[in-house]
Amino acid sequence: MKTVKQEVWFITGSQHLYGEATLKRVAEDSKRIAHTLSRAKSLPVKVVFKPTLTTPDAVTDLCIKANSSADCIGLICWMHTFSPAKMWITGLKVLQKPFMHLHTQFNRDIPWDSIDMDFMNLNQSAHGGREFGFICSRLRKNRKVVVGHWQEPAVQHKVGVWMRAAMAHHDSQGARIARFGDNMREVAVTEGDKVEAQKCFGYAVNGYGVGDLVAAISQISEAQVDRLVKDYDAQYEVVKAGRDGGKKRESVREAARIELGMRAFLEAGDFVGFTTTFEDLYGLKQLPGLAVQRLMAEGYGFGAEGDWKTAALVRAMKVMSQGLTGGTSFMEDYTYHLEPGNQKVLGAHMLEICDSIANGKPTLEVHPLGIGGKADPVRLVFNVDQGPGLNASIIDMGNRFRMVVNTVDVVNPDADLPKLPVARVVWVPKPNLEVGAGAWIHAGAAHHSGFSMALTAEHMEDFADMFNLEYVEINEATTITDIKNQLRWNEMYYMLAKGL
């Protein structure tokens, strides 16, 4: 994944009434907090100190500069003292970058024996933050509020979570998703309003004929294929038939050719995600499987059957999860195990599961595929380690986009799966399969999802807030009654909110 220079601006609110000495101390304290946060291991982006804001013009000017900065992905706002909130109105109205409210104070403890009014006048975050909170709520501004001392690891972790969502928000602005062919015919959930999506998320979705991809593939030389196939041999456990001299070696070479051509097409167009569909493969000798898996592992978003919303979501989750342990992949709930007391889901797809979630060295295999009518495709086969994870889906509800997140526990398969020639993961939805699947279905979430063992529901909620998405979380506390009521209330809210 390409890395770019990114930073979050640390801005502090105050006012002139306290005098120059107090404002000097405010600036010193702010610099120290910004410097400490910038060095915190849990924060993925540099924190840049900005001068204290004490006037309406200063606030507005900073927000305009933040909007136009290519490096700034968001703001951390802190009220060291009282900061009259009317001076924030114009700036917050024009601000287009996400922001969070760090409700902290410089000192951790009250100095019980020495506290006086000078100390009180300087350390007014307790009510300065409430004044700032009011104007944000009055302006209906989405933001994250983190409460606690800035040196505490738990507080820094929450700031880091928000930063990762801001990274994905920034990445989405002007991003490009390529659709090779159209959506799978007669499928509803993969459709959607691409114009509204660009308005909401910032990314553009455009279609390309499979012939355009075939043309790129035809430009690949045999020497390029030779080099990539050698990489396959080194990176994976290649089955005997796929090795040099094996009867399936030519299939492996064709998979490499497809990967190279697809990569060239995506790089030339500066795309960050893409879709394919097995109903539109004209000119391709096999369904792209290995190519999709490897490109996804490098950070590309992907959606099968033309599912561009999931492709964009997987890309966002890839951006958020950079540097974290675990992995992120396109996913599909494929089949259930309904044994009483041991119910679970087997997630997989025909071919396209990212090996960032693999629990070891994947096996490179070639097998027939009973759909699509093409030659036997190449794919990586693997299982996934146990641990916490989540599935996320974004759907078009007609008048808004909805994000649904279900936290899960990934478990080992009950037995080996020697005849299942695809990558697979087994999980137990929270709170259980009956409620988890039922709530997912009530919410209308898709059969495709972004699956991650690197991210948490907090990452996804912060991301949803930045785009003003409806957010529905299914977790250990969920009941069907509660989820049905939440969906009804949300429906009413999003209709009325248009008039606010």
Side-chain angles (χ1 to χ4, degrees), residues 17 52 56 85 104 126 231 235-236 320 330 353 386 494:
L17 288 177
T52 307
T104 188
D231 288 343
Q235 292 182 42
Y236 311 116
M320 282 190 275
F330 168 78
I353 302 298
Q386 299 181 79
Y494 280 95

Side-chain angles (χ1 to χ4, degrees), residues 226-294:
D226 290 340
R227 287 192 294 269
L228 185 55
V229 169
K230 287 182 179 179
D231 288 343
Y232 293 169
D233 292 339
Q235 292 182 42
Y236 311 116
E237 295 289 350
V238 181
V239 295
K240 184 177 180 180
R243 297 174 196 161
D244 194 18
K247 62 181 180 180
K248 295 291 187 180
R249 187 64 167 184
E250 193 53 43
S251 295
V252 176
R253 291 182 61 82
E254 185 60 29
R257 196 184 313 276
I258 291 173
E259 178 187 336
L260 290 162
M262 187 173 283
R263 184 187 304 277
F265 185 97
L266 296 172
E267 289 179 350
D270 198 26
F271 296 102
V272 302
F274 63 101
T275 70
T276 62
T277 175
F278 58 82
E279 283 189 325
D280 198 347
L281 297 172
Y282 187 79
L284 294 178
K285 294 182 180 180
Q286 58 179 260
L287 177 65
L290 180 61
V292 173
Q293 290 177 297
R294 284 172 52 84

Side-chain angles (χ1 to χ4, degrees), residues 85-230:
K86 286 179 65 178
M87 77 180 200
W88 289 86
I89 292 174
T90 303
L92 290 176
K93 284 177 63 178
V94 302
L95 182 64
Q96 298 172 346
K97 299 289 176 76
F99 71 99
M100 69 165 293
H101 178 186
L102 180 57
H103 189 54
T104 188
Q105 63 185 24
F106 184 74
N107 61 297
R108 191 193 71 175
D109 303 326
I110 294 174
W112 302 103
D113 295 336
S114 61
I115 187 170
D116 56 18
M117 283 309 300
D118 288 339
F119 182 93
M120 295 275 278
N121 282 334
L122 176 63
N123 297 284
Q124 296 189 54
S125 299
H127 65 288
R130 283 164 166 76
E131 170 78 350
F132 181 71
F134 163 73
I135 205 62
C136 293
S137 295
R138 180 65 177 81
L139 296 175
R140 283 25 178 216
K141 301 294 290 187
N142 284 353
R143 76 281 188 194
K144 182 171 187 171
V145 179
V146 177
V147 180
H149 195 254
W150 51 279
Q151 290 179 318
E152 289 296 322
V155 170
Q156 294 176 359
H157 172 77
K158 286 183 174 293
V159 175
V161 167
W162 172 84
M163 279 187 173
R164 290 183 176 278
M167 289 164 57
H169 178 277
H170 184 74
D171 180 77
S172 184
Q173 308 310 307
R176 305 183 69 200
I177 306 294
R179 295 169 64 236
F180 294 120
D182 205 346
N183 295 54
M184 180 180 174
R185 291 183 283 277
E186 305 298 340
V187 177
V189 77
T190 57
E191 298 286 353
D193 188 335
K194 294 189 288 294
V195 172
E196 190 64 25
Q198 187 166 352
K199 174 185 170 185
C200 176
F201 297 101
Y203 61 74
V205 181
N206 291 300
Y208 296 87
V210 179
D212 295 327
L213 175 58
V214 172
I217 294 171
S218 69
Q219 299 301 308
I220 302 303
S221 69
E222 292 301 314
Q224 289 175 286
V225 173
D226 290 340
R227 287 192 294 269
L228 185 55
V229 169
K230 287 182 179 179

